[in-house]
């Protein structure tokens, strides 16, 4: 019988932590209506992924759900398979593949598993393959690149640990939101406040958009900044 009172001694390079609960469902649902660009503006404009592209076909598709994180050796997907056994419907798999695109980490067969598990989507700092299958509706995916070359299944890897994905720090349970503009991670503990700030930001943008449409924008919005920099405006 396994002694569950003792900490697990993982082999070097391996770790499997329990799934972390994300924000409440009402907050997740509300973020589905929030543009990623506006969320980023509400979070200081310097967080989010870069260098990824969407491989699902419909630009209007939104990815939104709590993160299950995976860190793998570049070109190896053993622990991704294990993570797919652990996800709950709506989860988003965030994979740190070290930005390597020489071998695909995930392909069409695994997409079938993602659909069966009702995954909310995938964000991969690595490569995928079987692009025609990923372009079909139903499974949003962002990745660094693509190649026909398949992965190994040897490990090592870690599940539900802090990862870095395309320049973005992600903790297990963080809320991941992705749309045509990109992907962002909202810390689970801050999600309610970020939602509030995003809504306020969108209200401000609506006011600015209306003055732009009417041609009544206040020139002082930018002239004041230029004068502070010493320009004779």
């Amino acid at each position: 019988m396994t002694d569950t009172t003792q900490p697990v001694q993982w082999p070097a390079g391996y770790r499997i932590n329990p799934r972390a609960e994300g924000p409440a469902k009402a907050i997740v649902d509300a973020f589905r209506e929030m543009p990623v660009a506006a969320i980023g503006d509400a979070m200081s404009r310097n967080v989010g992924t870069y260098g990824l592209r969407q491989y699902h076909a419909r630009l209007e598709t939104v990815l939104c759900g709590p993160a299950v994180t995976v860190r793998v050796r570049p070109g190896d997907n053993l622990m991704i398979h294990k993570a797919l056994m652990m996800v709950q419907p709506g989860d988003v798999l965030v994979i740190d593949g070290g930005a390597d695109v020489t071998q695909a980490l995930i392909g069409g067969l695994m997409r079938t598993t993602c659909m069966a598990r009702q995954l909310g989507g995938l964000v991969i700092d690595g490569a995928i393959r079987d692009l025609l299958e990923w372009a079909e509706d139903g499974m949003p995916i962002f990745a660094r690149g693509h190649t026909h070359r398949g992965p190994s299944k040897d490990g090592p890897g870690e599940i539900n640990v802090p990862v870095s994905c395309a320049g973005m720090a992600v903790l297990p349970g963080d809320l991941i939101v992705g749309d045509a503009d990109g992907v962002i991670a909202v810390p689970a503990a801050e999600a309610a406040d970020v939602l509030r700030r995003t809504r306020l930001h969108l209200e401000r943008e609506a006011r600015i958009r209306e003055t732009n449409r009417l041609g009544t924008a206040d020139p002082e919005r930018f002239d004041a900044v230029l004068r502070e920099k010493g320009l004779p405006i």
Side-chain angles (χ1 to χ4, degrees), residues 71-94:
R71 180 186 294 120
V72 298
R73 177 174 60 82
D76 189 279
N77 71 3
L78 175 64
M79 296 303 267
I80 301 174
H81 282 279
K82 177 58 181 176
L84 284 173
M85 300 177 190
M86 301 170 58
V87 296
Q88 297 294 315
D91 285 347
V92 173
L93 209 57
V94 179

Side-chain angles (χ1 to χ4, degrees), residues 20-53:
E21 289 295 329
K25 182 179 182 300
I27 292 177
V28 175
D29 290 343
F31 266 102
R32 294 185 192 280
E33 306 299 323
M34 301 293 112
V36 166
I39 299 170
D41 286 351
M43 294 177 67
S44 78
R45 296 189 167 187
N46 65 350
V47 295
T49 61
Y50 56 84
L52 302 185
R53 57 164 285 192

Side-chain angles (χ1 to χ4, degrees), residues 142-171:
F142 295 81
R144 172 77 61 177
H146 61 274
T147 177
H148 67 279
R149 295 167 53 159
S152 60
K153 294 172 173 59
D154 297 319
E158 298 173 288
I159 298 174
N160 285 324
V161 296
V163 299
S164 175
C165 183
M168 180 175 71
V170 183
L171 297 179

